[in-house]
Amino acid sequence: DAKTTQPPSMDCAEGRAANLPCNHSTISGNEYVYWYRQIHSQGPQYIIHGLKNNETNEMASLIITEDRKSSTLILPHATLRDTAVYYCISNTGTASKLTFGTGTRLQVTL
Amino acid sequence: DTGVSQNPRHKITKRGQNVTFRCDPISEHNRLYWYRQTLGQGPEFLTYFQNEAQLEKSRLLSDRFSAERPKGSFSTLEIQRTEQGDSAMYLCASSWDTDQPQHFGDGTRLSIL
């Protein structure tokens, strides 16, 4: 079973920030938080990951709470091309497999 | 840096036939993973290789499934005597060792008639 909890769907207006929450209350000390997204008919695309510090790259920002029990993925200026299913996964860095849940379906609208 | 390549992109076959899929990982990635994804669900882990060694297999990988990575580069996934329930997207991913993220191909969609 997936170890994270995400809302099934969210909407966001184009140009606005999309804030996608994830609950991982049972995360252990050596587990990272990974975010992937999947656009229809494509494979999952890696977005970002972090252990306990906030992280930012060219795609998104990852904010992890101090107790590490939840995190938020931020897409600062959402576009229509960001419409996808977003998966939050907690995983040890050297684990063999990613355990996907059903993710959050983000719909970006005009 | 080309991404993970999977062939074919689509495969339609009759029940009972054998099928084989190929995955070419990102160059020099020593870890290679296979996942399966059915409609409306997230990908499910099947197996993974470190170089040519198959180190873990999921219970989802029945004895009709076999995966190989003979020279530690590309990998093949074969399904023998296909069944209706095998219809799914088969995804391949690769990564460097340790804590680097997995990068996925666009999958092979298998349809069983």
Side-chain angles (χ1 to χ4, degrees):
Chain A
D1 290 343
K3 298 179 290 183
T4 61
T5 305
Q6 300 177 252
S9 64
M10 295 181 62
D11 292 330
C12 179
E14 189 176 34
R16 306 299 290 265
N19 297 285
L20 292 93
C22 179
N23 184 295
H24 31 81
S25 58
T26 60
I27 195 169
S28 60
N30 63 344
E31 287 187 315
Y32 289 78
V33 179
Y34 289 82
W35 283 84
Y36 284 78
R37 73 180 182 185
Q38 189 171 24
I39 297 169
H40 183 61
S41 297
Q42 297 182 18
Q45 178 189 22
Y46 166 76
I47 301 173
I48 199 167
H49 75 287
L51 185 61
K52 51 185 176 181
N53 296 324
N54 298 336
E55 302 287 345
T56 296
N57 63 21
E58 65 278 4
M59 290 183 68
S61 295
L62 174 61
I63 308 298
I64 302 174
T65 58
E66 193 168 343
D67 63 9
R68 303 211 322 122
K69 291 185 177 182
S70 65
S71 61
T72 301
L73 179 75
I74 301 172
L75 307 178
H77 305 286
T79 71
L80 297 177
R81 288 178 295 180
D82 292 322
T83 293
V85 177
Y86 286 77
Y87 296 100
C88 168
I89 301 163
S90 62
N91 210 55
T92 60
T94 55
S96 58
K97 59 192 175 191
L98 297 173
T99 301
F100 289 81
T102 52
T104 295
R105 182 171 298 278
L106 176 68
Q107 180 69 51
V108 180
T109 57
L110 290 171
Chain B
D1 182 19
T2 58
V4 176
S5 176
Q6 293 191 246
N7 287 289
R9 289 296 313 278
H10 304 276
K11 180 70 176 179
I12 301 173
T13 192
K14 294 182 179 179
R15 183 170 54 90
Q17 298 294 303
N18 299 343
V19 294
T20 300
F21 313 137
R22 176 178 170 126
C23 171
D24 288 272
I26 294 172
S27 179
E28 298 182 359
H29 277 192
N30 63 359
R31 290 189 168 198
L32 187 147
Y33 312 79
W34 286 98
Y35 291 80
R36 181 174 73 183
Q37 185 174 26
T38 55
L39 200 61
Q41 302 298 313
E44 297 174 289
F45 171 79
L46 292 178
T47 189
Y48 102 97
F49 293 83
Q50 181 161 324
N51 300 311
E52 64 274 10
Q54 188 174 17
L55 296 186
E56 185 172 348
K57 293 194 290 186
S58 162
R59 286 172 294 177
L60 293 175
L61 212 66
S62 75
D63 56 6
R64 295 185 299 106
F65 288 70
S66 63
E68 295 183 343
R69 193 182 184 198
K71 297 182 180 179
S73 56
F74 73 92
S75 176
T76 58
L77 178 67
E78 180 183 17
I79 309 174
Q80 295 182 328
R81 305 181 303 280
T82 53
E83 301 174 355
Q84 291 284 352
D86 297 332
S87 293
M89 175 80 84
Y90 290 84
L91 293 159
C92 176
S94 69
S95 72
W96 290 105
D97 210 347
T98 64
D99 64 348
Q100 295 305 304
Q102 298 178 25
H103 295 273
F104 285 79
D106 284 336
T108 294
R109 181 167 297 282
L110 174 65
S111 298
I112 308 297
L113 300 177

